[in-house]
Protein backbone atom coordinates (compact mmCIF):
# COMPACT_ATOMS: atom_id res chain seq x y z
CA UNK A 1 0.00 0.00 0.00
CA UNK A 2 1.27 3.51 -0.77
CA UNK A 3 1.24 5.65 2.38
CA UNK A 4 2.85 8.88 3.62
CA UNK A 5 5.92 6.76 4.49
CA UNK A 6 6.41 5.44 0.97
CA UNK A 7 9.63 6.70 -0.60
CA UNK A 8 10.55 7.08 -4.21
CA UNK A 9 13.09 5.11 -6.24
CA UNK A 10 13.52 5.33 -9.98
CA UNK A 11 15.61 5.32 -13.10
CA UNK A 12 16.64 8.37 -15.12
CA UNK A 13 17.71 8.25 -18.75
CA UNK A 14 16.79 9.52 -22.20
CA UNK A 15 15.01 7.67 -23.66
CA UNK A 16 13.88 5.52 -20.78
CA UNK A 17 10.53 4.09 -21.81
CA UNK A 18 12.08 0.71 -22.71
CA UNK A 19 13.70 0.29 -19.28
CA UNK A 20 12.77 -3.01 -17.63
CA UNK A 21 13.93 -1.86 -14.19
CA UNK A 22 10.50 -0.65 -12.97
CA UNK A 23 9.04 -4.08 -13.71
CA UNK A 24 11.44 -6.19 -11.71
CA UNK A 25 12.28 -3.62 -9.02
CA UNK A 26 8.59 -3.11 -8.16
CA UNK A 27 8.01 -6.88 -8.23
CA UNK A 28 10.75 -7.36 -5.60
CA UNK A 29 9.61 -4.35 -3.54
CA UNK A 30 6.09 -5.66 -3.31
CA UNK A 31 7.27 -9.26 -2.70
CA UNK A 32 9.28 -8.05 0.31
CA UNK A 33 6.59 -5.55 1.25
CA UNK A 34 9.02 -2.63 1.38
CA UNK A 35 7.82 1.00 1.56
CA UNK A 36 9.11 2.17 -1.84
CA UNK A 37 7.80 2.68 -5.38
CA UNK A 38 10.07 2.65 -8.43
CA UNK A 39 9.32 4.82 -11.51
CA UNK A 40 11.05 5.68 -14.79
CA UNK A 41 11.83 9.33 -15.56
CA UNK A 42 12.70 10.53 -19.04
CA UNK A 43 15.03 13.46 -18.27
CA UNK A 44 16.03 15.85 -21.05
CA UNK A 45 19.77 16.72 -21.09
CA UNK A 46 19.39 20.34 -19.87
CA UNK A 47 17.40 19.09 -16.84
CA UNK A 48 19.87 16.46 -15.66
CA UNK A 49 21.37 18.59 -12.85
CA UNK A 50 17.92 19.68 -11.63
CA UNK A 51 16.63 16.11 -11.68
CA UNK A 52 19.53 14.88 -9.54
CA UNK A 53 19.23 17.85 -7.17
CA UNK A 54 15.53 17.01 -6.76
CA UNK A 55 16.62 13.84 -4.96
CA UNK A 56 17.53 16.04 -2.00
CA UNK A 57 14.31 18.13 -2.10
CA UNK A 58 11.96 15.15 -2.31
CA UNK A 59 14.08 12.76 -0.21
CA UNK A 60 14.19 10.39 -3.15
CA UNK A 61 16.07 7.40 -1.74
CA UNK A 62 17.75 6.27 -4.92
CA UNK A 63 17.97 6.42 -8.69
CA UNK A 64 19.41 4.17 -11.33
CA UNK A 65 21.09 6.00 -14.17
CA UNK A 66 21.02 4.77 -17.75
CA UNK A 67 22.03 5.91 -21.23
CA UNK A 68 23.22 8.61 -21.88
CA UNK A 69 23.91 9.88 -18.36
CA UNK A 70 26.20 7.35 -16.64
CA UNK A 71 29.20 9.68 -16.96
CA UNK A 72 27.44 13.04 -17.24
CA UNK A 73 25.75 12.62 -13.87
CA UNK A 74 29.04 12.56 -11.92
CA UNK A 75 29.51 16.36 -11.41
CA UNK A 76 26.14 16.50 -9.60
CA UNK A 77 27.07 13.89 -6.96
CA UNK A 78 28.84 14.30 -3.61
CA UNK A 79 31.12 11.29 -3.99
CA UNK A 80 31.77 8.09 -5.92
CA UNK A 81 32.34 4.73 -4.29
CA UNK A 82 34.33 1.66 -5.37
CA UNK A 83 33.61 0.53 -8.90
CA UNK A 84 32.02 3.88 -9.85
CA UNK A 85 35.35 5.52 -9.08
CA UNK A 86 37.30 2.95 -11.10
CA UNK A 87 34.90 3.00 -14.06
CA UNK A 88 34.27 6.75 -13.92
CA UNK A 89 30.61 5.92 -14.55
CA UNK A 90 27.57 5.68 -12.28
CA UNK A 91 24.46 3.53 -12.67
CA UNK A 92 23.13 3.87 -9.11
CA UNK A 93 22.75 6.95 -6.89
CA UNK A 94 21.86 6.55 -3.22
CA UNK A 95 20.66 9.48 -1.13
CA UNK A 96 22.18 9.06 2.34
CA UNK A 97 20.64 11.84 4.44
CA UNK A 98 21.02 14.43 1.68
CA UNK A 99 24.43 13.21 0.44
CA UNK A 100 24.28 11.76 -3.07
CA UNK A 101 26.59 8.77 -3.44
CA UNK A 102 27.41 7.25 -6.84
CA UNK A 103 27.86 3.50 -7.29
CA UNK A 104 28.27 1.24 -10.31
CA UNK A 105 26.70 -2.22 -10.26
CA UNK A 106 27.13 -3.05 -13.99
CA UNK A 107 30.44 -4.86 -13.53
CA UNK A 108 29.12 -6.79 -10.53
CA UNK A 109 26.16 -7.78 -12.71
CA UNK A 110 28.39 -9.51 -15.24
CA UNK A 111 30.73 -10.91 -12.56
CA UNK A 112 27.84 -12.59 -10.73
CA UNK A 113 26.38 -13.87 -14.03
CA UNK A 114 29.69 -15.58 -14.85
CA UNK A 115 29.77 -17.09 -11.33
CA UNK A 116 26.18 -18.30 -11.38
CA UNK A 117 26.50 -19.89 -14.83
CA UNK A 118 29.84 -21.49 -13.95
CA UNK A 119 31.85 -19.78 -16.70
CA UNK A 120 35.46 -20.55 -15.79
CA UNK A 121 37.57 -17.72 -17.22
CA UNK A 122 40.23 -17.60 -14.48
CA UNK A 123 43.68 -17.74 -16.13
CA UNK A 124 42.03 -17.87 -19.58
CA UNK A 125 41.95 -15.66 -22.64
CA UNK A 126 38.66 -13.88 -23.39
CA UNK A 127 37.53 -12.18 -26.58
CA UNK A 128 35.52 -9.03 -25.95
CA UNK A 129 33.41 -7.46 -28.69
CA UNK A 130 32.95 -3.71 -28.17
CA UNK A 131 34.71 -0.85 -26.42
CA UNK A 132 31.93 1.36 -24.99
CA UNK A 133 30.46 1.60 -21.49
CA UNK A 134 29.21 -2.00 -21.40
CA UNK A 135 32.64 -3.25 -22.50
CA UNK A 136 34.26 -1.24 -19.70
CA UNK A 137 32.03 -2.97 -17.13
CA UNK A 138 32.93 -6.31 -18.76
CA UNK A 139 36.66 -5.56 -18.45
CA UNK A 140 36.16 -4.76 -14.75
CA UNK A 141 34.37 -8.12 -14.23
CA UNK A 142 37.02 -10.03 -16.21
CA UNK A 143 39.87 -8.42 -14.27
CA UNK A 144 38.15 -9.30 -11.00
CA UNK A 145 37.71 -12.86 -12.29
CA UNK A 146 41.45 -13.09 -12.90
CA UNK A 147 41.55 -13.69 -16.66
CA UNK A 148 44.99 -14.11 -18.24
CA UNK A 149 44.31 -11.73 -21.14
CA UNK A 150 41.61 -9.93 -23.08
CA UNK A 151 41.43 -9.48 -26.83
CA UNK A 152 39.27 -6.46 -27.62
CA UNK A 153 37.60 -6.57 -31.04
CA UNK A 154 36.01 -3.27 -31.98
CA UNK A 155 34.78 -1.54 -35.11
CA UNK A 156 36.67 1.66 -34.26
CA UNK A 157 40.27 0.86 -33.41
CA UNK A 158 40.90 4.09 -31.48
CA UNK A 159 38.07 3.38 -29.03
CA UNK A 160 39.41 -0.14 -28.55
CA UNK A 161 42.88 1.29 -27.81
CA UNK A 162 41.42 3.72 -25.26
CA UNK A 163 39.70 0.91 -23.40
CA UNK A 164 42.87 -1.21 -23.53
CA UNK A 165 44.90 1.68 -22.12
CA UNK A 166 42.41 2.09 -19.26
CA UNK A 167 42.43 -1.68 -18.53
CA UNK A 168 46.24 -1.82 -18.45
CA UNK A 169 46.47 1.22 -16.17
CA UNK A 170 43.74 0.16 -13.72
CA UNK A 171 44.26 -3.60 -13.53
CA UNK A 172 47.68 -4.28 -15.13
CA UNK A 173 45.68 -6.49 -17.49
CA UNK A 174 47.21 -8.00 -20.62
CA UNK A 175 45.09 -6.56 -23.45
CA UNK A 176 45.35 -6.55 -27.25
CA UNK A 177 43.14 -4.75 -29.75
CA UNK A 178 42.08 -5.78 -33.23
CA UNK A 179 39.46 -4.49 -35.68
CA UNK A 180 36.42 -6.57 -36.66
CA UNK A 181 37.43 -7.32 -40.24
CA UNK A 182 40.95 -8.34 -39.26
CA UNK A 183 39.65 -10.53 -36.45
CA UNK A 184 37.06 -12.40 -38.50
CA UNK A 185 39.49 -12.93 -41.37
CA UNK A 186 42.36 -13.69 -38.97
CA UNK A 187 44.14 -16.85 -37.85
CA UNK A 188 42.03 -19.65 -36.39
CA UNK A 189 44.10 -19.52 -33.19
CA UNK A 190 42.75 -16.03 -32.52
CA UNK A 191 39.35 -17.62 -31.92
CA UNK A 192 40.17 -21.19 -30.91
CA UNK A 193 42.23 -20.18 -27.87
CA UNK A 194 39.54 -18.13 -26.14
CA UNK A 195 37.45 -19.54 -23.26
CA UNK A 196 34.61 -17.07 -23.82
CA UNK A 197 33.36 -14.55 -26.37
CA UNK A 198 31.52 -11.66 -24.74
CA UNK A 199 29.40 -9.34 -26.85
CA UNK A 200 29.42 -5.88 -25.26
CA UNK A 201 28.41 -4.00 -28.42
CA UNK A 202 24.82 -2.86 -28.90
CA UNK A 203 24.41 -5.33 -31.78
CA UNK A 204 21.46 -7.63 -31.19
CA UNK A 205 19.27 -5.05 -29.45
CA UNK A 206 17.27 -4.62 -32.64
CA UNK A 207 17.75 -8.22 -33.72
CA UNK A 208 21.03 -7.71 -35.60
CA UNK A 209 23.13 -10.84 -36.26
CA UNK A 210 26.80 -10.98 -35.24
CA UNK A 211 28.70 -12.95 -37.88
CA UNK A 212 31.18 -14.88 -35.72
CA UNK A 213 33.53 -17.35 -37.43
CA UNK A 214 31.77 -20.16 -35.54
CA UNK A 215 33.87 -22.95 -37.09
CA UNK A 216 37.06 -21.43 -35.60
CA UNK A 217 35.79 -21.50 -31.98
CA UNK A 218 36.83 -24.20 -29.54
CA UNK A 219 34.20 -26.75 -28.53
CA UNK A 220 34.39 -25.59 -24.89
CA UNK A 221 33.83 -21.88 -25.56
CA UNK A 222 31.10 -19.84 -23.79
CA UNK A 223 29.09 -17.20 -25.63
CA UNK A 224 27.97 -14.37 -23.36
CA UNK A 225 25.77 -11.55 -24.64
CA UNK A 226 25.30 -8.45 -22.50
CA UNK A 227 22.40 -7.48 -24.78
CA UNK A 228 18.93 -8.46 -23.62
CA UNK A 229 15.74 -8.48 -25.64
CA UNK A 230 12.53 -10.43 -25.15
CA UNK A 231 13.03 -13.89 -26.62
CA UNK A 232 16.74 -14.38 -27.32
CA UNK A 233 19.36 -12.29 -29.11
CA UNK A 234 20.36 -13.71 -32.54
CA UNK A 235 23.86 -14.40 -31.13
CA UNK A 236 22.59 -16.56 -28.28
CA UNK A 237 19.99 -18.23 -30.51
CA UNK A 238 22.76 -19.23 -32.95
CA UNK A 239 24.99 -20.49 -30.12
CA UNK A 240 22.17 -22.59 -28.71
CA UNK A 241 21.45 -24.01 -32.18
CA UNK A 242 25.09 -25.12 -32.33
CA UNK A 243 25.02 -26.61 -28.82
CA UNK A 244 27.42 -23.96 -27.45
CA UNK A 245 26.79 -22.90 -23.82
CA UNK A 246 25.52 -19.34 -23.76
CA UNK A 247 23.36 -16.77 -21.99
CA UNK A 248 22.11 -13.27 -22.72
CA UNK A 249 21.96 -9.93 -20.88
CA UNK A 250 18.96 -10.91 -18.80
CA UNK A 251 21.34 -12.45 -16.25
CA UNK A 252 23.43 -9.30 -16.04
CA UNK A 253 20.35 -7.07 -15.87
CA UNK A 254 18.98 -9.07 -12.93
CA UNK A 255 22.24 -9.11 -11.00
CA UNK A 256 23.01 -5.41 -11.46
CA UNK A 257 19.41 -4.63 -10.51
CA UNK A 258 19.61 -6.88 -7.44
CA UNK A 259 22.76 -5.08 -6.30
CA UNK A 260 21.14 -1.64 -6.78
CA UNK A 261 18.06 -2.90 -4.89
CA UNK A 262 20.34 -3.88 -2.01
CA UNK A 263 22.00 -0.45 -2.00
CA UNK A 264 18.59 1.27 -1.99
CA UNK A 265 16.82 -0.90 0.61
CA UNK A 266 19.45 -2.90 2.53
CA UNK A 267 17.61 -6.10 1.53
CA UNK A 268 18.64 -8.80 -0.97
CA UNK A 269 15.80 -9.47 -3.42
CA UNK A 270 15.07 -13.10 -4.34
CA UNK A 271 16.52 -13.50 -7.85
CA UNK A 272 13.64 -15.74 -8.82
CA UNK A 273 11.17 -12.90 -8.23
CA UNK A 274 13.17 -10.61 -10.52
CA UNK A 275 13.42 -13.33 -13.16
CA UNK A 276 9.75 -14.16 -13.06
CA UNK A 277 8.80 -10.49 -13.41
CA UNK A 278 10.86 -10.30 -16.63
CA UNK A 279 9.38 -13.59 -17.88
CA UNK A 280 5.87 -12.21 -17.46
CA UNK A 281 6.96 -9.12 -19.42
CA UNK A 282 8.32 -11.41 -22.17
CA UNK A 283 4.95 -13.15 -22.38
CA UNK A 284 3.07 -9.86 -22.68
CA UNK A 285 5.28 -8.26 -25.36
P1 LIG B 1 27.30 1.15 -24.33
O1 LIG B 1 27.43 2.16 -23.24
O2 LIG B 1 25.98 0.42 -24.32
O3 LIG B 1 28.46 0.21 -24.39
P2 LIG B 1 28.42 2.72 -26.45
O4 LIG B 1 29.37 3.31 -25.48
O5 LIG B 1 27.75 3.62 -27.44
O6 LIG B 1 27.23 1.98 -25.69
O7 LIG B 1 29.20 1.52 -27.23
C1 LIG B 1 28.59 0.78 -28.23
C2 LIG B 1 29.56 -0.30 -28.73
O8 LIG B 1 28.90 -1.04 -29.77
C3 LIG B 1 30.83 0.25 -29.34
O9 LIG B 1 31.88 -0.69 -29.14
C4 LIG B 1 30.47 0.34 -30.83
O10 LIG B 1 31.56 0.31 -31.70
P3 LIG B 1 32.36 1.68 -32.06
O11 LIG B 1 33.28 1.95 -30.89
O12 LIG B 1 33.09 1.37 -33.30
O13 LIG B 1 31.31 2.74 -32.23
C5 LIG B 1 29.67 -0.93 -30.98
N1 LIG B 1 28.76 -0.87 -32.14
C6 LIG B 1 27.60 -0.18 -32.22
N2 LIG B 1 27.03 -0.36 -33.44
C7 LIG B 1 27.86 -1.21 -34.13
C8 LIG B 1 27.85 -1.79 -35.44
N3 LIG B 1 26.84 -1.53 -36.28
N4 LIG B 1 28.86 -2.60 -35.80
C9 LIG B 1 29.88 -2.86 -34.94
N5 LIG B 1 29.97 -2.34 -33.69
C10 LIG B 1 28.97 -1.53 -33.29
Amino acid sequence: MITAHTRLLGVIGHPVEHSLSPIFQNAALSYLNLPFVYLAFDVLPPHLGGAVEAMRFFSIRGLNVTIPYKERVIPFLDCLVGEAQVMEAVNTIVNEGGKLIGYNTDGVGLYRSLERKGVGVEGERVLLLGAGGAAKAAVWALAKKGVASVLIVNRTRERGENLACWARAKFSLKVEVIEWEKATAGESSLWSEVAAVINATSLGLKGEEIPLPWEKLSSSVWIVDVVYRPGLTPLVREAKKRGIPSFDGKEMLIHQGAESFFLFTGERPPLQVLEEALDVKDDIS
Side-chain angles (χ1 to χ4, degrees):
M1 200 206 319
I2 294 179
T3 71
H5 298 285
T6 307
R7 288 183 71 188
L8 189 56
L9 300 172
V11 53
I12 54 171
H14 180 64
V16 83
E17 76 249 27
H18 301 297
S19 171
L20 297 166
S21 297
I23 291 166
F24 64 79
Q25 295 283 357
N26 282 312
L29 289 168
S30 78
Y31 181 86
L32 294 172
N33 203 16
L34 295 172
F36 298 94
V37 286
Y38 188 107
L39 299 177
F41 299 103
D42 194 328
V43 174
L44 293 172
H47 299 151
L48 178 63
V52 174
E53 203 53 30
M55 290 183 78
R56 298 186 222 264
F57 305 147
F58 293 114
S59 293
I60 295 170
R61 168 62 180 162
L63 291 177
N64 283 122
V65 182
T66 187
I67 288 168
Y69 298 134
K70 290 186 183 185
E71 287 159 8
R72 279 191 242 169
V73 81
I74 290 173
F76 305 108
L77 305 180
D78 294 307
C79 66
L80 302 187
V81 176
E83 292 85 60
Q85 220 166 35
V86 179
M87 283 190 245
E88 295 143 356
V90 164
N91 81 330
T92 305
I93 308 170
V94 180
N95 179 356
E96 293 289 359
K99 287 262 171 280
L100 303 182
I101 304 172
Y103 296 84
N104 194 312
T105 68
D106 287 333
V108 172
L110 181 59
Y111 180 85
R112 296 240 170 94
S113 307
L114 297 173
E115 293 271 296
R116 190 156 173 240
K117 292 286 182 180
V119 185
V121 290
E122 296 83 352
E124 301 281 358
R125 185 171 170 76
V126 172
L127 194 145
L128 178 63
L129 305 173
K136 203 172 191 185
V139 166
W140 180 90
L142 292 173
K144 193 168 155 67
K145 269 286 197 180
V147 298
S149 64
V150 177
L151 177 61
I152 296 174
V153 180
N154 198 48
R155 179 179 58 179
T156 316
R157 186 174 180 100
E158 194 188 351
R159 252 185 125 190
E161 292 291 359
N162 285 344
L163 181 63
C165 224
W166 175 83
R168 288 182 201 119
K170 297 279 179 186
F171 312 110
S172 306
L173 200 57
K174 211 171 141 213
V175 189
E176 295 154 66
V177 182
I178 186 165
E179 292 102 327
W180 255 106
E181 293 74 30
K182 284 194 186 147
T184 43
E187 305 259 311
S188 288
S189 62
L190 202 98
W191 297 87
S192 64
E193 286 169 8
V194 300
V197 174
I198 300 182
N199 173 41
T201 70
S202 44
L203 291 171
L205 207 54
K206 295 181 188 143
E208 306 96 317
E209 311 263 343
I210 299 184
L212 291 188
W214 293 96
E215 63 294 344
K216 292 181 184 171
L217 292 169
S218 113
S219 57
S220 60
V221 75
W222 272 89
I223 301 291
V224 178
D225 201 341
V226 307
V227 174
Y228 170 59
R229 74 195 302 260
L232 289 174
T233 59
L235 180 68
V236 169
R237 204 175 313 128
E238 185 64 27
K240 290 205 184 298
K241 208 167 87 188
R242 292 170 181 266
I244 299 173
S246 57
F247 61 90
D248 67 7
K250 182 178 174 182
E251 269 303 299
M252 191 173 159
L253 180 68
I254 285 172
H255 287 286
Q256 65 79 25
E259 194 62 22
S260 295
F261 187 98
F262 175 69
L263 292 169
F264 294 148
T265 68
E267 304 265 353
R268 295 259 170 219
L271 295 177
Q272 205 187 331
V273 172
L274 305 180
E275 253 162 10
E276 281 171 7
L278 286 178
D279 289 344
V280 170
K281 162 75 173 60
D282 277 8
D283 287 346
I284 296 167
S285 50

